[in-house]
Amino acid sequence: MIEEGSKSSKSMVEKRQLFMEMRAQNFDVIRLSTYRTACKLRFVQKRCNLHLVDVWNMIEAFRDNGLSTLDHNAEINVSRLETILSSIFYQLNKRLPTTHQINVEQSIGLLLNFIVATYDSEGHGKLTVFAMKAMLATMCGGKILDKLRYIFSQISDSNGVMVYAKFDQFLREVLKLPTAVFEGPSFGYTEHSVRTCFPQQKKILLNTFLDVLMADPPPQYLVWLPLMHRLANVENVFHPVECSYCRSESMMGFRYRCQQCHGYQLCQSCFWRGHASGPHSNQHQMKEHSSWKSPAKKLSHAISKSLGCMPMGEPPQPVFPEAAERPQDLAHTTTLESPSRLDEEHRLIARYAARLAAEASNSTQCPPTDLSFNFDANKQQRQLIAELENKNREILQEIQRLRLEHEQASQPTPEKAQQNPTLLAELRLLRHRKDELERRMSALQESRRELMVQLEGLMRLLKDEEQKQASQTGSSPHSSPSHSASCTMPMPIRSTSAGSTPTHTPQDCLAGVGDDVLDAFSQGVPRNLRNDLLVAADSITNTMSSLVKELHSVDDGLEDEEENLRNGREKVSSLKHSGKRQSTPSF
């Protein structure tokens, strides 16, 4: 009796282990239920090592265990569920390198207890095939687009049209996941869940299904699903920005920027917990960023977009054919570096040898005239087997050599560690110089804008001058063009300071303008001034383009440390000289 009691208590501890570890992460301090649910399910996914199993590997496991032929409402017991999970994780360990093997037994136990607690809370010891497929396909690794395509294949008919009853069943099963992590009040199933996702009663095909579930924002009941995938994508994203609340000099994960407070940015930890400082409030609208772009890249992106060099109107996801998709045939899919491939070769060799032995036994019953022919054939077959075995040994040796090289390459060397301080110092110096170049770029951009405004004024003056000359020519043919030009060009381009008197001569009007414009107004009769102004504008545009290219080269140099250490100083010097030559005089 004492032994049975100890076993039952140990089983209860194992069932509660995952939930106890999840509570220790203190996810409940996150104020938004969507982020809270996504973080909890992401923790379960990683703790059970489901993030290492791709959705296509999961589909292959369903097929290997005979689940593809079973009805969705068929029930399986816990022992068979454990067998299915064992095949999934043991196949995963075969695909992983030896340095990244997982604890299969622990992963099976944690995931089995989570599934039973989620889908068999009443303790019947059984769950449906569809519930297990929906849970594993949702919680495994891979792209959300591939997962939704597989789910649609399970809830649609032979014509590729979604069946509302099956989608309702899918929502029932998948919404048990938030309930299992104690978020049922926010994302629990209701009778109106289906109509909330698809309010209009119409024929739902694959592309419509994907557009609705991957929209921004997605349906309220499934808003945690794409967020869980975004969390997985930004876990290792680095933002070199200081948090405005905790003053951390860098951020990992998401970055949030206020749309009302200029320059106010929060890390994901401070935003999730509702921290705010200064004039910022939690009621302000925040924009979520999952990547970092340097100011140079932002400027080049804006210029390329303004010049029409970027494609517009790309679809958010690919468009798939509306016809019903056939089930994926994964019977012949293999992994080149997987040990299962070597086992398959051994089995083929053994099968071939057994067939040769059977043919040899049958050849003893042949007439004496065929003995020499059979002997020659068997000799050739034995030679072929020997060649195959030698080839197999070479493959094994090559795989072992590649594994050793991979392990040696993954180990850090002392030389690299000693060079890190020098490299970091050089990178800081290059970043400082890059900031100076970006400030010069901003100043040149402002000068270019002012110049373009003044060129616009010159164009208007030119147009007015041409119209006035045409009218004066028609009224008094003996009037002087130079006198007319001097009378219509007195308007100064730049406003003078307070207390000064603006002059009304053409030369003072054009003070500070480039040589092209001065040359255009130097003669008494304007000579094709419109072309001269266009040449000046083109020169300015070419100057900006060359400066953007040089900024690109500096930014690319920061990403390649070795190239920056060799060529960084020469690039900065060349940019300074080119900036002096290409700068436009102030107006």
Side-chain angles (χ1 to χ4, degrees):
M1 296 293 292
I2 297 176
E3 184 177 357
E4 292 179 357
S6 62
K7 288 183 179 180
S8 61
S9 61
K10 182 179 179 181
S11 177
M12 291 296 294
V13 171
E14 291 178 352
K15 290 182 179 180
R16 296 178 181 178
Q17 178 183 356
L18 183 63
F19 296 99
M20 293 170 63
E21 293 179 1
M22 184 179 66
R23 287 184 181 276
Q25 299 295 320
N26 200 20
F27 291 123
D28 291 331
V29 300
I30 301 176
R31 64 188 182 96
L32 300 177
S33 60
T34 303
Y35 287 97
R36 200 165 55 238
T37 305
C39 288
K40 290 180 179 180
L41 292 178
R42 175 62 178 169
F43 172 79
V44 173
Q45 183 190 48
K46 295 180 66 176
R47 188 66 181 86
C48 298
N49 289 315
L50 273 176
H51 66 296
L52 301 175
V53 184
D54 191 77
V55 62
W56 301 111
N57 299 127
M58 192 65 71
I59 297 172
E60 183 181 2
F62 294 159
R63 179 187 57 81
D64 293 340
N65 289 276
L67 299 179
S68 301
T69 58
L70 294 179
D71 186 77
H72 283 176
N73 296 322
E75 294 183 340
I76 57 174
N77 52 28
V78 177
S79 60
R80 185 172 181 185
L81 175 61
E82 185 175 4
T83 303
I84 296 171
L85 298 181
S86 301
S87 67
I88 292 173
F89 286 112
Y90 277 112
Q91 288 296 326
L92 171 63
N93 251 0
K94 290 182 179 181
R95 294 190 297 269
L96 294 175
T98 55
T99 56
H100 294 77
Q101 298 287 301
I102 65 171
N103 189 337
V104 175
E105 297 298 331
Q106 185 183 33
S107 300
I108 294 172
L110 290 174
L111 183 57
L112 180 64
N113 290 327
F114 179 75
I115 294 177
V116 171
T118 303
Y119 294 97
D120 188 29
S121 57
E122 298 181 358
H124 297 302
K126 294 182 180 180
L127 70 157
T128 63
V129 173
F130 185 74
M132 189 196 64
K133 283 185 176 181
M135 184 272 171
L136 293 177
T138 303
M139 293 294 293
C140 69
K143 299 179 180 179
I144 185 174
L145 183 65
D146 297 332
K147 294 182 181 182
L148 293 178
R149 288 178 60 194
Y150 172 72
I151 291 170
F152 185 82
S153 68
Q154 301 296 305
I155 62 174
S156 58
D157 56 16
S158 58
N159 297 322
V161 180
M162 188 191 76
V163 180
Y164 276 89
K166 291 184 178 180
F167 179 70
D168 181 75
Q169 185 181 3
F170 166 72
L171 283 182
R172 287 176 184 270
E173 305 300 341
V174 79
L175 289 179
K176 290 180 181 178
L177 293 173
T179 304
V181 294
F182 315 108
E183 297 295 336
S186 300
F187 301 104
Y189 173 82
T190 63
E191 297 180 354
H192 306 287
S193 300
V194 178
R195 294 306 172 194
T196 303
C197 297
F198 299 100
Q200 300 178 358
Q201 296 183 0
K202 58 182 180 180
K203 185 170 65 172
I204 305 298
L205 301 177
L206 174 60
N207 293 312
T208 306
F209 179 80
L210 295 177
D211 291 340
V212 172
L213 268 66
M214 296 187 67
D216 187 17
Q220 179 61 30
Y221 291 97
L222 297 174
V223 69
W224 51 269
L225 181 58
L227 179 58
M228 184 178 70
H229 289 79
R230 295 205 307 273
L231 280 174
N233 295 331
V234 301
E235 284 182 347
N236 299 319
V237 174
F238 175 77
H239 305 269
V241 181
E242 181 183 11
C243 178
S244 300
Y245 183 84
C246 66
R247 298 302 176 185
S248 175
E249 295 183 356
S250 60
M251 303 181 189
M252 293 293 293
F254 286 121
R255 173 171 56 92
Y256 298 89
R257 182 167 56 88
C258 182
Q259 301 297 292
Q260 299 182 25
C261 305
H262 178 70
Y264 194 91
Q265 302 190 72
L266 293 175
C267 62
Q268 68 176 20
S269 179
C270 293
F271 176 75
W272 290 354
R273 285 159 176 77
H275 293 161
S277 60
H280 178 70
S281 171
N282 290 331
Q283 305 301 323
H284 291 180
Q285 184 178 3
M286 304 290 286
K287 185 176 181 180
E288 182 182 275
H289 295 272
S290 57
S291 61
W292 164 256
K293 289 184 180 179
S294 63
K297 286 187 176 179
K298 290 181 179 178
L299 179 60
S300 62
H301 178 83
I303 293 176
S304 301
K305 188 175 181 181
S306 63
L307 296 177
C309 300
M310 298 186 60
M312 302 294 291
E314 295 182 355
Q317 66 261 351
V319 179
F320 298 96
E322 299 293 353
E325 295 185 353
R326 296 181 179 180
Q328 298 290 333
D329 185 11
L330 303 175
H332 303 289
T333 56
T334 57
T335 307
L336 295 179
E337 298 180 0
S338 175
S340 61
R341 183 182 180 185
L342 303 179
D343 297 339
E344 184 68 21
E345 291 179 357
H346 286 300
R347 286 195 294 269
L348 289 174
I349 293 173
R351 189 184 308 166
Y352 194 51
R355 190 176 67 180
L356 292 178
E359 292 178 358
S361 62
N362 294 332
S363 65
T364 57
Q365 302 176 359
C366 295
T369 55
D370 297 336
L371 289 178
S372 60
F373 175 76
N374 291 332
F375 178 77
D376 294 336
N378 290 336
K379 184 177 179 180
Q380 294 177 359
Q381 291 168 352
R382 284 195 296 271
Q383 292 177 355
L384 179 60
I385 291 175
E387 293 176 0
L388 290 174
E389 290 178 348
N390 292 332
K391 186 66 175 177
N392 190 42
R393 281 194 293 270
E394 293 176 1
I395 293 174
L396 288 173
Q397 294 175 359
E398 182 68 16
I399 289 177
Q400 185 65 22
R401 183 183 65 81
L402 291 175
R403 285 179 178 174
L404 291 176
E405 291 180 358
H406 177 71
E407 292 176 359
Q408 293 176 358
S410 61
Q411 294 177 357
T413 59
E415 292 79 3
K416 293 180 180 179
Q418 293 176 0
Q419 293 176 0
N420 281 338
T422 306
L423 294 175
L424 291 175
E426 291 292 337
L427 283 176
R428 282 194 293 268
L429 180 60
L430 288 175
R431 284 174 180 167
H432 179 69
R433 293 179 177 178
K434 174 174 169 290
D435 293 338
E436 292 180 356
L437 291 174
E438 288 173 355
R439 288 193 293 270
R440 286 182 59 82
M441 183 67 189
S442 300
L444 289 175
Q445 179 72 7
E446 182 64 24
S447 299
R448 176 183 177 273
R449 187 188 64 80
E450 294 178 358
L451 181 59
M452 295 305 295
V453 172
Q454 295 170 5
L455 287 176
E456 269 186 42
L458 289 175
M459 292 294 291
R460 287 194 297 269
L461 289 174
L462 176 62
K463 186 175 180 181
D464 296 340
E465 174 65 19
E466 290 177 352
Q467 294 177 356
K468 189 172 183 180
Q469 285 183 357
S471 61
Q472 289 180 356
T473 303
S475 59
S476 57
H478 299 286
S479 60
S480 174
S482 60
H483 176 73
S484 176
S486 61
C487 293
T488 57
M489 296 292 293
M491 180 181 179
I493 297 177
R494 186 178 179 182
S495 60
T496 57
S497 58
S500 62
T501 303
T503 53
H504 298 279
T505 62
Q507 296 298 329
D508 292 336
C509 295
L510 301 174
V513 181
D515 295 336
D516 292 330
V517 179
L518 286 175
D519 187 37
F521 285 92
S522 61
Q523 301 179 9
V525 180
R527 52 163 189 82
N528 202 357
L529 296 180
R530 188 185 305 273
N531 292 338
D532 293 333
L533 293 177
L534 292 176
V535 168
D538 288 340
S539 175
I540 296 168
T541 304
N542 293 334
T543 302
M544 293 300 299
S545 299
S546 62
L547 201 53
V548 168
K549 291 179 181 178
E550 292 171 358
L551 277 179
H552 268 302
S553 64
V554 174
D555 192 71
D556 293 336
L558 287 176
E559 297 176 354
D560 191 357
E561 297 178 355
E562 295 181 358
E563 191 66 19
N564 272 329
L565 291 178
R566 292 195 301 265
N567 303 324
R569 299 181 184 274
E570 297 179 0
K571 288 183 180 179
V572 173
S573 178
S574 64
L575 279 177
K576 286 182 178 180
H577 290 296
S578 64
K580 291 179 180 179
R581 291 193 304 267
Q582 297 174 2
S583 60
T584 304
S586 61
F587 284 75

